[in-house]
Amino acid sequence: MARTIIIETAGGPENMKLADLSVGDPGPGEIRIRHMACGLNFIDVYQRTGLYPLELPHALGMEAAGIVEAVGEGVTHLKEGDRAAYASMPPGAYSEARVMPAAQVCPLPDEISFEEAASIMLQGMTVEYLFHRTTPIAKGDSVLFHAAAGGVGLLACQWARSEGIELIGTAGSDEKCALAKEAGAAHVINYSKNDFVEEVKGITGGAGVDVVMDGVGKDTFDGSLDCLKPLGMMISFGNASGPVPPVNLLTLAQKGSLKMTRATLFTHLADHAKCQEMAKHLFSKVISGDVRVNIGQRFPLERIADAHKALEARQTTGSTIITL
Ligand SMILES: NC(=O)c1ccc[n+]([C@@H]2O[C@H](COP(=O)([O-])OP(=O)(O)OC[C@H]3O[C@@H](n4cnc5c(N)ncnc54)[C@H](OP(=O)(O)O)[C@@H]3O)[C@@H](O)[C@H]2O)c1
């Protein structure tokens, strides 16, 4: 049996319930993993509220680290006793143990703790694909990154600094701006107090940035387009403030032949070899010291509702760990 957070109906944080579920044995292509720590991500909120619908009832949680207890037929990259971590479908990581597909589970180097792994797998591999697999970004290029003191944000600031990329970070308070700056943002903008479009124009001498990475969504989308240079690239990758309404393609022409993608990590992770390569790249950045893990807060599994409330209320910084 394993304590597991489930939802029976989509809705508020109070809809999450702690259940005792039997775990069972792995089938072909699966493993059983005993979790040591789980991660909290905004996608968990979208799945809980029904913005990203799940077949209900369903367990929640997309990221964890732990020890492999058993492997099913055909699994060759993991064995019983291995340390491992993942960001993977299907949801179910808010649990003490689970059976799951093995393909997206990655061997975890000894240098990285379970808590560190549970805080970087989803947000760190997101940063990996944003900077390396979405659009060409060269040393010296400028990137506007919203919510730069969040989980993805603080990792992005450090990643950009290590690659010589000039990251302009936005955040909702002066304290958060200071965190983003310390993590490597070349410039920071408190977008609760200041018009970020005007600020970006000022910082770039009116030119705009090469790339925008926007996980905030509805509230920042229009302004983000106004921050781009002609031929610039808009990467929309989240909806923390709500989903972006339908876009008129002509807007992209009028604002200077802009390019745009709505990117998602799970497209990249779908390929087993690519997923393992992305995880190795992320681990190497952490082990080299280029990227430091930022665990801003911890909540025990039974307080998962408080964790969701804090994330949605913009009260968290860096990554959040769910302890077991
Ligand atoms: N597509 C993908 O592959 C992918 C993968 C991972 C994450 N994401 C997305 O990336 C974004 C960041 O994820 P995360 O888990 O690291 O979360 P996070 O950045 O730690 O938290 C979200 C942050 O968004 C900002 N925000 C602005 N308006 C908000 C609002 N109305 N409600 C709540 N937050 C608001 C807040 O920072 P300020 O107070 O500083 O504004 C808040 O702290 C999310 O949109 C997530 O869905 C996408």
Side-chain angles (χ1 to χ4, degrees):
M1 302 297 278
R3 293 187 313 143
T4 304
I5 299 292
I6 60 158
I7 50 165
E8 287 163 336
T9 51
E14 66 286 353
N15 285 26
M16 292 184 287
K17 304 224 158 52
L18 193 55
D20 234 349
L21 301 186
S22 69
V23 182
D25 292 320
E30 293 182 331
I31 58 156
R32 187 171 71 234
I33 182 165
R34 182 141 307 264
H35 294 149
M36 298 294 148
C38 315
L40 178 77
N41 293 283
F42 228 96
I43 190 169
D44 307 346
V45 173
Y46 309 145
Q47 290 171 339
R48 191 204 75 219
T49 59
L51 180 66
Y52 296 176
L54 297 174
E55 219 169 275
L56 300 176
H58 210 296
L60 286 186
M62 296 289 286
E63 169 182 57
I67 296 173
V68 177
E69 280 190 342
V71 301
E73 201 188 314
V75 176
T76 54
H77 69 292
L78 292 166
K79 61 180 189 321
E80 192 186 323
D82 278 356
R83 303 171 81 249
Y86 66 87
S88 173
M89 295 283 191
Y94 294 168
S95 61
E96 291 171 326
R98 70 184 294 197
V99 166
M100 64 182 299
Q104 276 71 44
V105 182
C106 308
L108 178 63
D110 289 340
E111 295 92 327
I112 300 179
S113 74
F114 292 118
E115 279 209 348
E116 287 171 334
S119 75
I120 56 168
M121 290 304 284
L122 198 146
Q123 296 164 350
M125 287 197 285
T126 298
V127 171
E128 205 270 357
Y129 88 73
L130 288 173
F131 283 94
H132 300 282
R133 299 170 197 266
T134 307
T135 189
I137 304 178
K139 202 173 172 165
D141 282 356
S142 52
V143 172
L144 172 64
F145 197 103
H146 291 303
V152 182
L154 285 184
L155 295 170
C157 292
Q158 299 177 76
W159 202 292
R161 175 169 59 189
S162 74
E163 305 273 334
I165 293 161
E166 183 164 310
L167 184 146
I168 303 174
T170 63
S173 70
D174 291 341
E175 293 73 23
K176 287 184 176 186
C177 283
L179 284 177
K181 183 97 181 150
E182 201 250 315
H187 306 273
V188 286
I189 302 168
N190 178 341
Y191 59 2
S192 293
K193 281 202 311 216
N194 302 305
D195 178 342
F196 72 84
V197 179
E198 288 307 313
E199 297 282 322
V200 168
K201 288 277 151 68
I203 291 166
T204 59
V209 293
D210 298 293
V211 178
V212 177
M213 298 180 181
D214 188 340
V216 169
K218 184 167 71 65
D219 289 355
T220 46
F221 182 82
D222 289 338
S224 291
L225 294 185
D226 290 331
C227 290
L228 282 164
K229 280 179 186 168
L231 304 173
M233 177 71 174
M234 170 70 178
I235 307 174
S236 172
F237 70 101
N239 341 275
S241 67
V244 176
V247 180
N248 181 350
L249 266 188
L250 276 182
T251 307
L252 302 184
Q254 288 153 2
K255 291 184 188 289
S257 303
L258 301 181
K259 290 165 274 186
M260 180 159 73
T261 180
R262 175 61 173 84
T264 146
L265 174 64
F266 298 99
T267 314
H268 294 272
L269 299 188
D271 181 79
H272 166 73
K274 197 162 145 189
C275 169
Q276 300 295 325
E277 183 187 299
M278 288 169 71
K280 278 191 191 151
H281 191 188
L282 170 63
F283 296 151
S284 74
K285 290 292 252 188
V286 173
I287 292 168
S288 73
D290 277 351
V291 169
R292 206 187 58 225
V293 174
N294 305 279
I295 301 173
Q297 46 285 308
R298 290 176 177 77
F299 293 86
L301 189 66
E302 51 278 12
R303 284 189 54 218
I304 190 67
D306 291 335
H308 275 228
K309 283 179 198 163
L311 184 62
E312 288 178 273
R314 306 166 76 164
Q315 285 164 358
T316 63
T317 56
S319 307
T320 303
I321 284 293
I322 307 301
T323 57
L324 297 164

